[in-house]
Structure formats: structure tokens, C-alpha cells
Amino acid sequence: MSAEPTSSRPSIPTRELRADIQGLRAFAVVAVILDHLFHWPTGGFVGVDVFFVISGYLITSHMIRELDRTGHLSLSAFYRRRIRRIAPAASLVIVATVAFAVFLLPRGRALSIAMDGIWAFFFGANWRSMAIGTDYFQLGQLPSPLQHFWSLSVEEQFYFVWPLLTMIVFTTAIWRWGASSRAHVATFAAYAAIVALSFVWALVETAGNPTAAYFSTLSRAWELGVGALLALVGVAAWRLSLPTRVGLAWFGVVGLLASVFMIDAESAFPAPTVALPVLATALVIAAGVGADDTRYRHALWPLTNRVSGYLGAISYSLYLWHFPVIVFLATFVPLDSRRYFALVLAGTAILSVISYHFVEEPVRRSTWLLPGSRTKVGRRAAVVATVGTVAVVVAAGLGAARLASPPPETRAPVAAECVGAEAAPGADSDCQRPDAISIDDVTPTLDVLPDDTAGGYSCWRPEGDALKTCTFGSERQEGAETLRVALVGDSHAAALLPAFLDRVDDLGWSLDTYLGYGCQWRDQAERSDCDGVADEVQQRLVDGAYDLVITTGARWANAAAPTDSFVERWDEVASTGADVVVVAAVPTVPDATFACVSRVGADLNECATSRAEALRPPDPMLDAARHADVRVVDMTDFYCDSSVCPAVIGNVIVYRDAAGHTTGTYMKTMAPFLIERIGSAAAVG
């Protein structure tokens, strides 16, 4: 007969905190925050990978202990624990972020953030990031304040499957062999197979689609799996001497430090590069299994001191809050100011401490979601959780309501003596620059800025597609004075198209477009996305009897291209009698420019980039033009004066993003000047 319980009140779960693991959490979150705020150290983003290993280790340790103790695993209890741990603070951050965006940011950006909130709430943020991250026309735009939720989504997707898999393998092995030791071996084998397969897939995807590999659960599962493997072999205390443990732990710490300083954005990431921080983290965790607390803590003081312990305790809140604070403060404070950095650090610390002590810990100590929960604290936590859920739905609904409302139309510039390029230095006009410009005075509006293409991409070849070409303007007829023109190149060449679209008939042009993702007019690398397409375009240009061929390209995309890769193709077409005109690359402005333009109360005259910075790297096409039979048209004086390149000229926003794509509105104002210079440069007029 079993003993009767002495109380019907459910027990509140407790957790044993290892000081070294709390120190690893502190290291991870500090590295991530430094990377996002200061872009230093270069590999600070590997802090997320440290979290993955820790999570895999801790969660699997709990599952294996329960299986060893009871012979089964309660999936409902597991998921209730995960919800209690993850949902309250995450929901608070999502609600606050979406609410701020809906009520204070431009409609287009608020809508995007509201959608991010929905994806984050249902643990699909990494899928959302994969979709947006592979969108070429999002390049250089300000990030979503909820972008960092991708890592939480990876973890929760992993844990949606992991407990069920563990229970099936473990209990099947017990049923088959009747020994827990055999069950451990079978579970270890299953984990090892998944880790191996995930790592191989990560290698493949990193080589073929690094953006998808970065956010994919399949490419990241092996990192959590390494922690899980460690939990299986570390259930019993390791029989290691203290010096050996300390040596292994410090070896892991050195590996982590090397990771954050040696890895950068150019590394093959996540695989195989991420193996260094993953294995280093595993080494620190393994060294501490069964260690004597007092002596081990003293030997590993940088990870086990009180400051590291507290930062580790609040690391989840720090991770949740830091990115919204970083992104939103840019709406009020200049990005490059000391005040901005100080306010980000202070705001993140304050919000995280409040979130930890008034949301995370109260819910963790309550009996909310535990079976038979009837306590006052449990009911209060349930009410808070319910209100939070409703708030998420309401905030998302408000974002949807803004979507349903008609978007603001691009307006005419206000109080502008000269519009757009008419006010540029190259226009040689008497236009006076206003003393101050507010966001209410300019066009396009911030809501429509990312989509202000004016038809430039109406005949555009996306990545991976076949060649797409269109003809605009006059049809060539016998005896008619029709100029046969081709526009060739990448998205920057497509950005020139609005300058011609409304004028081709008056000019007597028959304009063919050969515009595609990353397809600059040069030799392309074998088996690249543009290799076959580039050859097809070249043949059409040679056979097309063109009078005039116009091209341009992104300066940064051509930076490593050899001069000959341009010259041979250009000269082949020029030898057919066509005039080849190379339009110099557009200057490139940084993310800070768009933070400035969207800043509340900003004088947009201050949103400018130094000419030297905007013209880096030098345009390789101009160097190639000196060795080829081509003409050059340089429109830099329509973007920059002698010292700076403004974000707004003639009350028109010049750039759509930080990748150097111009707005369609500005390009249309530049049309007469661009066409005049092309006509002057080309013999065909």
C-alpha cells in the first residue's frame, strides 16, 4: 500500500545552480550585448551558441534524472516548466515592443514589428528571420527590435521534439533490455546520430545558404545536442582531480575568449566555425560536473564571482531587453553619441532587473501551471499570464488595424525651392538649402520609403531565376530614328530605370533591360547564381545591334572583381559599334543615416555621411573603364558636395537603404541631368 500524501499542495520545483554555469551565462549575454551595441568583439554573437549548449545540457539533465527515477517522462510537466520559464518575460518584452512600435513609429515599420511579435510569440521568429534575411531589398535597413527572438524559437522548436524522442528511445530500451544502463547507451547513440546529421547539414547549408543556416533549427540542433550528450555522460560525478578539472575549465575559457576575438562576420558560420565556442563551453561544463564547490569556485573565480553569478541569473532578461532598447533608442538619440551608449546600457540594466525580480522570479516561485495549483500566488501568476497573452493579441490586432488602413501616399515636398536633384551641387542652380528640414517636409514618407522604387524593379530577375528582359519605349521601325538602348547590371542598375521610364518615348529610345540579383556586367564565378545568365546576356548584347549600352553596379559588390572581368565583356560589345556608358556607382551611406532620418524631432540636414566614407570602397568599374573602350558618367555631384553626402536633397530622401539603393522619387528628379550627361558622353547623342 502506498503512503498517503501529507498535503495536496503541489511542490514548487527547485533548481541547483552551478556557479560556473551562471558565469558562462554571464559571459554569453555580455558578449552578445557588446556585439550588438559596439560591434565589438567581432565574434560576440557566439554568446548565443554558448546558451544553446547550456540549455541542451540542463534540460536533458532534468529529463534523464526523471527517467532514471520514475521510468517515464511527463511531457505535460516538461512543457509547463518551459512555459513558466520562457513565456512571462518574453511576453512582456513582445507586448512592450509591439505597443511602442504601433503607437510611436511609422505605419510600415510598426506593421513589420507587429508581425515580428506574432512570429516571436509562437516561437517562429527564426523562420521569419530566414524569410526577411534572404530578401535582398531589406539589405542595410534597420533591424527589427524582436530579431533576437530567433534563438529562443530555435530552442523551443528543438524542445518540442527532444523530450518525445528521448522518452521513446529510453523507454523502448528499458522495455527491450530491462536495464537503465542500456537505455543510456541507446539514448546516447540516438543523440550522437542527430548531432552528426545536424552538423553535416550545417556544413552543407553554410556553404550553400549561410543565412538559412544561421537561423535554421536543423543547422543549430547539434549545438544543443552536444549539451545533451554531455548530460548523458555526466549523470555520475566525473572522477577527476581538482587540478585536472581546473585545467580543463580554463582551457575552455581560453577557447571562448578566442572565439569572440577570432571569429567575425567573414567566418564560415555557423559550421564549422561554431564548433570552437560549442566545444569550449562543453569543456567548462564537463570540468565542473561533481566538482567540490568551494575549491573549484576559487580556482575559477572569473566565472564564479558574485557579479558573474548575478549577471548569469538575470541573463535571460538581459538578452530579451537589450535589443529593443538598442533599436528604439536610435529613434531618439544619435547612434554615434556617448549618450546613446550610456542610455542603452542603463535602460537595459534597469528593465532587466525589474523584469527578473518582478516577473521571472515570482512566476518561477509560484505554482502557476503546476497540477492542482490553487494558491494565491499561483492564481495571481495565472492572471498575469492571461493578461499578457491578451495584451499580445491586442497589440498585434492594433498593428493589423494599421495594415487595414490605407497607406499614406508619397507627398510632394513641402516648402522646397528646388525638388530633389534640382537642388544638388551638380545641377548648378541657385537653390538655397533650408536652415532646417523635418520629416514632415520630405518625400517619400518613412512608411513607403523601403518600397519607393518607381517601377525600377518591374522587370527584375530574382536570385536563382532565369533571365528576364523587357522592352520599354519605341518599337523599332523601318526609317524611324529609334535608338536601340540596353540597361545592364544589378539592383543598382535597376535603380537607374525610373530616370528613363517616363522619357523613352520622347527620346526615341527602345530600351531593353537585363537586370538581376547580383548580376554585374562582368565575368561571373563558375557555378555562381549569375554565371549562365551573364553569358546569355552577353550574347544578346553582342547580337542585339545596340546603339547604346548603359551599366552600373554596387561598389561593394564589385570590390574584389578583377579589372579584366569587366574589360573583356565591355570591349566585345563596343566592337559591335555600340557606345558603352559606365555610370559611376552611387555613394553608400551607413545604417546610422536611416536612424537619423527616422529620429523624432531630427533636423534632416544633420543626416549626412562624410564624402570619404560614402565613397568607400573605390568604384572598381571606374578603374576598369580606363582600360576599356567605354565612356564614363559620374553623378557623384548629385549625391555629395565637397565634404558630405546628405540623406535628403531638395526635400527628397535620396536612399532607400544602407546598400546604396536610391529612391525612385529621387532618381526621377535626376532624370534630365543623367540623360544629358549620357548624351554628352555617348557619340550617339
Side-chain angles (χ1 to χ4, degrees), residues 378-402:
R379 289 194 298 270
R380 185 180 302 165
V383 170
V384 171
T386 302
V387 170
T389 302
V390 171
V392 169
V393 174
V394 170
L398 289 172
R402 295 191 74 179

Side-chain angles (χ1 to χ4, degrees), residues 47-87:
V48 170
D49 306 287
V50 176
F51 280 127
F52 284 161
V53 179
I54 293 173
S55 295
Y57 172 76
L58 293 177
I59 295 299
T60 306
S61 296
H62 292 317
M63 292 192 300
I64 296 300
R65 280 197 294 268
E66 182 176 343
L67 285 165
D68 281 340
R69 187 176 66 253
T70 67
H72 71 276
L73 181 65
S74 171
L75 294 179
S76 63
F78 175 87
Y79 292 121
R80 286 198 298 269
R81 286 195 300 268
R82 293 305 297 165
I83 292 172
R84 284 160 50 87
R85 177 71 182 96
I86 296 296

Side-chain angles (χ1 to χ4, degrees), residues 445-463:
T445 65
L446 292 180
D447 280 330
V448 300
L449 178 63
D451 300 316
D452 186 66
T453 62
Y457 302 90
S458 57
C459 189
W460 167 257
R461 172 199 168 270
E463 183 179 13

